[in-house]
Amino acid sequence: MNHFQSSSRLPLHVFLLVCLVSTSATAVEKIQVMALFANKAMLQIDGKQRLLRAGQRSPEGVLLVSADANGAVIEVDGKRDRYGLGSQVGGTFTQRRMAEVQIWADAKGSYNTVGSINGRMVDMLVDTGATSVAMSEVEARRLGIPYRVRGEKTGVRTASGFARAYSVTLDEVQVGELALQNVEAVVVEGNSPHRVLLGMSFLSRVKMEHKGALMVLQSKF
């Protein structure tokens, strides 16, 4: 008996179920983040604009997990990733443009940049010798970080010697398009360092490359 002929005699409800599964498995070819709001995002999915709320799935199967002014967490086929405004997914969901930041050295050979911590802008100094992101308690108070309440007492060695500090976890640290959540940091008592040190608790989670006086930071995934 011909197998293909016999399969055409499936009950109607089974046949409809097969068609539904086949339709839902259609791959999403292109996603672009058009606009960001609190718990909402405007996405362009295969040429169609979809305004999704957090927790809502589009007809194409794209799930908006969360969204804020800094980016949106999107899930397709069980894979989640964070995308900033204007980010575009082309071909397949996993083949997106890698987020990249370029930082040029100043006359002293230091790499200074502007970023944000928990959504608030800060001046940063890239410091590969620092084990974690580090800031003074003056800066921590400006950023609204409750280091004395939620932090753990510790100590750090600085150029001036030993200093008391508090170990904390930052909700988000962002430099350009690179945004990482749950980043370990220390808050040092006093007004030093005068600039936030972008240490290895952030740098070890991205790709870092030197090209002469240019430092390139790129997302790993």
Side-chain angles (χ1 to χ4, degrees):
M1 182 177 1
N2 189 294
H3 172 73
F4 293 100
Q5 288 179 346
S6 63
S7 63
S8 65
R9 296 170 185 163
L10 289 171
L12 179 60
H13 70 281
V14 176
F15 176 74
L16 291 175
L17 178 60
V18 172
C19 290
L20 179 61
V21 171
S22 298
T23 302
S24 64
T26 302
V28 174
E29 293 296 327
K30 185 177 179 182
I31 305 172
Q32 187 169 7
V33 180
M34 306 298 292
L36 292 167
F37 313 94
N39 298 315
K40 291 191 296 184
M42 176 70 77
L43 306 179
Q44 184 168 284
I45 305 171
D46 291 343
K48 297 179 181 179
Q49 288 196 356
R50 308 288 190 189
L51 179 61
L52 301 180
R53 295 180 180 275
Q56 183 179 1
R57 191 180 297 273
S58 77
E60 297 82 7
V62 177
L63 173 67
L64 179 65
V65 179
S66 63
D68 54 34
N70 296 314
V73 177
I74 300 171
E75 178 182 304
V76 177
D77 295 332
K79 300 175 182 178
R80 294 186 180 186
D81 210 337
R82 185 176 179 86
Y83 298 87
L85 183 64
S87 294
Q88 181 173 302
V89 187
T92 64
F93 185 71
T94 56
Q95 293 176 344
R96 71 182 179 100
R97 181 177 60 85
M98 301 295 261
E100 182 178 286
V101 178
Q102 296 185 352
I103 306 173
W104 290 92
D106 61 18
K108 297 180 180 179
S110 299
Y111 294 90
N112 299 290
T113 187
V114 175
S116 67
I117 292 177
N118 298 349
R120 302 195 64 174
M121 187 176 297
V122 294
D123 291 325
M124 296 179 172
L125 170 65
V126 178
D127 188 350
T128 56
T131 56
S132 66
V133 173
M135 70 187 73
S136 68
E137 61 179 350
V138 174
E139 187 70 5
R141 285 196 293 267
R142 185 185 73 83
L143 295 172
I145 299 172
Y147 61 96
R148 290 186 180 272
V149 176
R150 299 182 183 177
E152 295 183 5
K153 291 184 178 180
T154 184
V156 295
R157 292 197 176 277
T158 69
S160 302
F162 183 83
R164 290 183 295 184
Y166 293 83
S167 176
V168 298
T169 299
L170 304 174
D171 294 335
E172 182 180 75
V173 177
Q174 182 167 355
V175 182
E177 297 179 344
L178 292 172
L180 300 180
Q181 285 74 46
N182 301 319
V183 179
E184 294 181 1
V186 291
V187 176
V188 184
E189 289 189 351
N191 61 359
S192 183
H194 302 298
R195 195 172 302 165
V196 172
L197 303 182
L198 190 65
M200 294 306 295
S201 59
F202 181 95
L203 298 173
S204 64
R205 293 169 59 182
V206 301
K207 294 179 181 178
M208 183 169 51
E209 182 180 2
H210 282 90
K211 299 179 179 179
L214 175 64
M215 175 182 288
V216 179
L217 305 178
Q218 190 179 67
S219 58
K220 286 186 175 181
F221 306 104

